[in-house]
Amino acid sequence: MSTTFQRLMAVRKGKQCGFWVLLDPDKKSSQVLARYAKTMEAAGVDGFLIGSSIMVSASFERAVKAVKKAVRVPLIIFPNGSGMLSKTADAVLFTSLISGRNPNLLIDEQVKAAPAIKALGLETIPTGYILIESGNLTSVCYISNTMPIPRNKPEIVKAHALAAEYLGMKLVYLEAGSGASMPVPAETVRQVVKYVTLPIIVGGGISDPSYARKIALAGASFIVVGNALENDSTGAMAKSFAQAIHFNGIKD
Ligand code: 1GP
């Protein structure tokens, strides 16, 4: 049986760029979230991240279970800290916030989470998480108490991504922050993709399919969309995103 990471890499190989949707259990009930995920999957989504930067919902496990039952594509935990875990998910993005200098999110939360992850038997996908300035103060910067990398300094982003590669991480996540007014610049994505061999995830503030396509053409391996699809009850908008992102054609 293949690992979740292998499944992700198969999508990358077949479609060049995969389309992920962020599920926020703080914004929808478990049932509504599961129905939404099903609609998104039917529209062409390749995987889901589940998490939020301020988890106020006590029903994380319930949400993960409901979504897992509703979809077949990978469901990956996108944690805000060591407490956001579930054995029902397919994997956890084991992130280190490498653009920040907050030891708590560089290593402390990871140490706290590691024994629990082992006990749950959950697959980890080590990911270098890099915040890029996006025009406004995002929840993730505020909550993590870290500064994002200036958006006009791709060389700093490149150095961080390369450090992630040399540290043995498997993915790099370029994040503008959920609801960012300016997404990660396509030029930054292009430069990072050229500079490192790791697959690159890009998310935050991607609100229209044409921008998603630019990011895909810049060489991103996965694009994450959250806010822009939250009211897409029919999946029509998600379909447009899927077409834009899967520019290489769908080869399942
Ligand atoms: C999470 O950044 C994504 O990385 C989601 O962002 O909600 O702005 O699409 P949006």
Side-chain angles (χ1 to χ4, degrees):
M1 222 179 63
S2 50
T3 64
T4 300
F5 184 70
Q6 287 166 338
R7 290 175 71 195
L8 301 181
M9 291 306 103
V11 167
R12 180 190 187 221
K13 199 167 168 209
K15 301 180 183 177
Q16 289 206 32
C17 189
F19 173 25
W20 292 354
V21 164
L22 175 67
L23 302 174
D24 185 343
D26 278 342
K27 291 189 181 163
K28 291 181 168 80
S29 71
S30 301
Q31 262 186 338
V32 174
L33 203 64
R35 210 175 317 126
Y36 170 71
K38 214 178 162 97
T39 306
M40 293 294 110
E41 185 182 44
V45 166
D46 302 300
F48 293 97
L49 295 183
I50 185 161
S52 74
S53 45
I54 336 167
M55 186 70 199
V56 290
S57 164
S59 51
F60 184 66
E61 180 63 31
R62 206 181 318 140
V64 174
K65 276 195 177 131
V67 174
K68 180 69 192 152
K69 243 179 145 175
V71 301
R72 298 169 67 99
V73 296
L75 174 62
I76 302 165
I77 299 173
F78 182 37
N80 62 8
S82 54
M84 196 181 273
L85 295 170
S86 157
K87 69 168 188 298
T88 312
D90 294 303
V92 55
L93 276 193
F94 199 66
T95 52
S96 177
L97 180 45
I98 59 172
S99 58
R101 299 296 178 266
N102 177 352
N104 190 38
L105 297 169
L106 280 166
I107 186 63
D108 197 28
E109 288 299 306
Q110 294 78 353
V111 171
K112 285 183 195 150
I117 290 174
K118 190 174 172 71
L120 292 172
L122 193 56
E123 178 182 337
T124 50
I125 305 177
T127 304
Y129 191 49
I130 299 176
L131 298 182
I132 297 174
E133 184 197 346
S134 61
N136 53 2
L137 178 62
T138 57
S139 306
V140 62
C141 288
Y142 178 74
I143 299 284
S144 66
N145 199 14
T146 67
M147 299 251 289
I149 297 176
R151 60 185 289 110
N152 59 348
K153 299 283 182 205
E155 63 279 9
I156 302 182
V157 183
K158 284 161 63 183
H160 281 78
L162 192 60
E165 182 164 321
Y166 289 167
L167 281 166
M169 291 171 173
K170 288 186 173 169
L171 296 172
V172 165
Y173 196 144
L174 303 182
E175 171 73 277
S178 192
S181 48
M182 292 189 285
V184 175
E187 182 50 31
T188 301
V189 176
R190 192 169 296 114
Q191 290 194 29
V192 174
V193 167
K194 260 196 160 147
Y195 197 61
V196 303
T197 62
L198 291 181
I200 308 296
I201 310 167
V202 181
I206 299 174
S207 55
D208 66 273
S210 64
Y211 196 78
R213 190 177 191 94
K214 269 193 195 154
I215 299 286
L217 289 170
S221 293
F222 301 98
I223 291 177
V224 187
V225 181
N227 278 285
L229 292 169
E230 257 159 27
N231 298 317
D232 183 24
S233 54
T234 63
M237 179 76 158
K239 263 187 200 147
S240 314
F241 269 102
Q243 273 166 9
I245 291 169
H246 298 147
F247 65 93
N248 197 34
I250 299 172
K251 295 186 220 147
D252 277 327

